[in-house]
Amino acid sequence: LNTIIAFNLVLLCYFHNLIRGETRSPRILSDEDPTSQPVFTSLQQVLDLLESQEFRNLLPVHQLLFAYFNICQSKRISYLPKPIRQPFIVVEGNHRTAKRMLAMRLSRRIGASLFNNPPRCLSSMRNFFPTGSLLLRAFFKLCAYALAQGTRRLINIFPVILNGYWLEQQTFAIARTYGADPPPPDHQVYRWPKDLLKPDIIFFVEFPDNLHKEILTTRPPNAHKTLAMNALLKMNIPQLIVINTTQGHDFALQEMERHIIERLGMKFPIKWLNATRGPSRGHKR
């Protein structure tokens, strides 16, 4: 009986916060030392932390795990699969607005399903965890695995584009943990996790600091940006392509399309649509 009551309480809190998540609340800054935080390299490491004695009794952690295992991994699909797998493309970057804009425009060009990070099934829980905290780092890693689950369900139906996945969070974590003394290039933190679905191509949108003065953005330069870019350059990921936005978003989009044609054109039946034709498929899960 106690188990049923606890389960219902977690479920009630989840949906309560899902509704509250529609409005933004002020984010709390963590006073934790980032250099003491681990850089996760597998799902099991994330789950071990969340289920550890230190965190397992926290209600937000209960809600997070419940949502991940019961909401994010729902297998409900209303489309018939196609005989050929569709392309899986990721757009990462160091500037949220530029990355989101290019991911949306690219998804419209190829008629792709567009997933955002955090995914819908976990997005309402973002403010549960203080900015810069170990739990927030674990939260974003869990988001990557939730996105992978959603991608697996759709990859045989539509092309899939993720607006944010694993790479930008990993490079930021490396920068925060190691600072100016990063590990050598052969370290495990630079390797793609063996248990995480690997994209066919990854675009990292680099937004130069000198453009922050333009009308396009009000975002100030980030102190960890250079360190994160240094970590990115050490990543041994053949699918990774850095896209610079210095010449504008139109040129950046053309470069992304060119790389898709060169790398994926012979492997996947990609149908290019008119850039102004309708919205992308924005899946909520």
Side-chain angles (χ1 to χ4, degrees):
L1 180 60
N2 290 337
T3 302
I4 296 175
I5 294 174
F7 178 84
N8 289 335
L9 178 61
V10 170
L11 184 62
L12 178 63
C13 290
Y14 170 77
F15 286 109
H16 173 68
N17 285 286
L18 185 64
I19 296 173
R20 289 184 59 194
E22 297 300 323
T23 58
R24 289 183 177 270
S25 58
R27 291 179 179 174
I28 302 172
L29 296 179
S30 170
D31 58 359
E32 297 176 26
D33 178 11
T35 61
S36 65
Q37 297 176 356
V39 178
F40 300 110
T41 57
S42 70
L43 174 61
Q44 192 58 53
Q45 289 180 355
V46 177
L47 295 178
D48 286 345
L49 174 83
L50 296 175
E51 295 169 350
S52 66
Q53 186 173 359
E54 181 180 1
F55 298 119
R56 65 188 179 193
N57 293 322
L58 298 178
L59 182 58
V61 173
H62 274 279
Q63 292 179 261
L64 176 61
L65 291 174
F66 174 83
Y68 175 74
F69 286 112
N70 296 278
I71 310 298
C72 298
Q73 299 192 31
S74 170
K75 297 182 179 180
R76 178 172 53 85
I77 288 291
S78 57
Y79 302 96
L80 293 176
K82 296 179 180 178
I84 302 176
R85 183 176 78 79
Q86 302 298 300
F88 173 28
I89 300 169
V90 168
V91 181
E92 307 254 23
N94 57 18
H95 188 270
R96 187 181 307 168
T97 302
K99 174 172 65 76
R100 182 178 66 245
M101 186 181 302
L102 287 171
M104 185 177 297
R105 292 180 64 181
L106 184 61
S107 68
R108 289 173 176 171
R109 285 285 284 133
I110 65 174
S113 297
L114 177 62
F115 287 73
N116 292 310
N117 190 11
R120 183 75 173 183
C121 60
L122 298 179
S123 61
S124 65
M125 301 181 185
R126 163 60 182 85
N127 289 344
F128 284 6
F129 310 108
T131 297
S133 67
L134 178 57
L135 283 178
L136 184 64
R137 185 177 293 191
F139 166 80
F140 275 113
K141 282 296 184 289
L142 203 61
C143 286
Y145 287 93
L147 285 166
Q149 291 287 344
T151 299
R152 285 190 180 95
R153 292 194 297 271
L154 285 175
I155 203 67
N156 290 324
I157 305 171
F158 303 118
V160 173
I161 293 179
L162 300 187
N163 171 26
Y165 190 30
W166 174 83
L167 190 59
E168 63 192 53
Q169 292 295 332
Q170 186 73 358
T171 54
F172 184 74
I174 293 171
R176 293 271 295 172
T177 295
Y178 295 100
D181 187 25
D186 60 348
H187 197 280
Q188 188 177 5
V189 296
Y190 299 114
R191 301 172 191 165
W192 191 270
K194 295 180 180 179
D195 59 354
L196 184 64
L197 184 65
K198 187 178 294 185
D200 297 301
I201 193 168
I202 306 171
F203 294 112
F204 190 92
V205 179
E206 181 187 8
F207 195 96
D209 278 336
N210 61 346
L211 293 185
H212 289 297
K213 299 178 182 179
E214 303 297 330
I215 299 177
L216 179 64
T217 180
T218 58
R219 174 183 178 273
N222 191 303
H224 293 91
K225 181 177 175 180
T226 301
L227 296 175
M229 283 302 299
N230 290 339
L232 178 76
L233 296 176
K234 293 183 179 180
M235 293 285 178
N236 185 19
I237 303 175
Q239 297 88 348
L240 175 62
I241 298 172
V242 177
I243 299 292
N244 191 285
T245 59
T246 302
Q247 299 185 54
H249 286 182
D250 288 344
F251 181 81
L253 182 63
Q254 291 172 8
E255 284 295 288
M256 295 166 77
E257 293 176 0
R258 180 177 65 83
H259 285 294
I260 290 174
I261 293 172
E262 291 178 355
R263 296 199 177 197
L264 307 181
M266 298 297 294
K267 185 177 180 181
F268 299 103
I270 300 174
K271 295 182 179 180
W272 294 94
L273 306 177
N274 189 300
T276 60
R277 179 180 172 181
S280 60
R281 299 185 185 90
H283 284 269
K284 301 297 185 182
R285 192 167 296 282

